[in-house]
Amino acid sequence: MIKTRDLSLALAVAVGIGMSACVRHTNAAQPASIGNQRLTVLVDAFGSQPALRQDWGYAALIEYGGKRILFDTGNDSAGFAENVQRLGVQLTRLDAVIISHRHGDHTAGLRYLLTVNPRVTIYVTEDEAFGGPTPAVFFKQPDPSLPITMRYFNGAVPDVIPHGSAWTGANFIRVTDTMEIAPGFRVVRNISATQQFSETPELSLVIDTPTGQIVVVGCSHPGVERIVASVAARDPHISMVVGGLHLVTAPRPEVERLAMALRDTWKVERIAPGHCSGELTFAVLQRIFGANYRYAGVGTVIDLS
């Protein structure tokens, strides 16, 4: 029994030395450690860490190439704040924030964020929810026969009518097309081609890495294939897709088809679904992607290297 323990101890020491040597080698060859090339899930409705609050919605912190980017802010400001604090995330040290779209389960934490970092740059869609223009289509059917007291703006509609916003004073940058926000980081804008969500533009984050592009999505309302296609148009090599795929109500045949298309048509190498992807989708993607499936529950740290 003593010999067995001694042998186990010797093996543990040997393995530890070997691992330390491996880490030193990796750090010497790579200026930024692998530990700093990561995505941490801050908000989601599933997870393995009891200390974190589970909630419908999504938020993640991306740390890559020396940049710290917050992607979405979850469904509840207090819950977002609680998870951020428990995970030791410093929201005062952000290079940028991206809000994928206007829905409350992605924007609610802005209230807390703006109390601790009121001037941080926030990339949003041109949606009226963020103070963008009131849709011009509202004024496309004027009727000059009406008396002036019944005409919008007395019959002289301004070219642009800014919409009100719940976050007055926020440092919003409205994105209407693909935009580089830092070297190797860009946001892509997409919108659904079908009736559903056709008035909800959505932003996704794309990170250029030596192993391919990483795509972070919020809800994929335009359709995840549409988003992936817009990214692949620039460079077909997509290393990983992370986030909500909005398949929570999709029938099994569509989930199966899409999973195969992501792997075989679009050549997505790794997948880390969360939020509105759906439990069925988790199971199907895990089966189809196998070892290239990444668990992404709240509190999970995903290696982006």
Side-chain angles (χ1 to χ4, degrees), residues 30 33-40 63-64 211 214 239-240 242 270 272 294-295 300-305:
Q30 193 172 317
S33 70
I34 288 177
N36 290 329
Q37 318 286 0
R38 62 191 179 185
L39 179 150
T40 305
E63 297 170 276
Y64 192 89
T211 58
I214 294 171
S239 171
M240 180 159 49
V242 185
R270 295 172 290 166
R294 298 292 183 267
Y295 175 77
T300 302
V301 178
I302 299 172
D303 185 2
L304 302 182
S305 60

Side-chain angles (χ1 to χ4, degrees), residues 57-70:
Y58 193 68
L61 176 68
I62 295 96
E63 297 170 276
Y64 192 89
K67 299 294 184 184
R68 291 167 48 87
I69 298 173
L70 177 66

Side-chain angles (χ1 to χ4, degrees), residues 8-18:
S8 298
L9 179 59
L11 284 171
V13 171
V15 169
I17 292 171

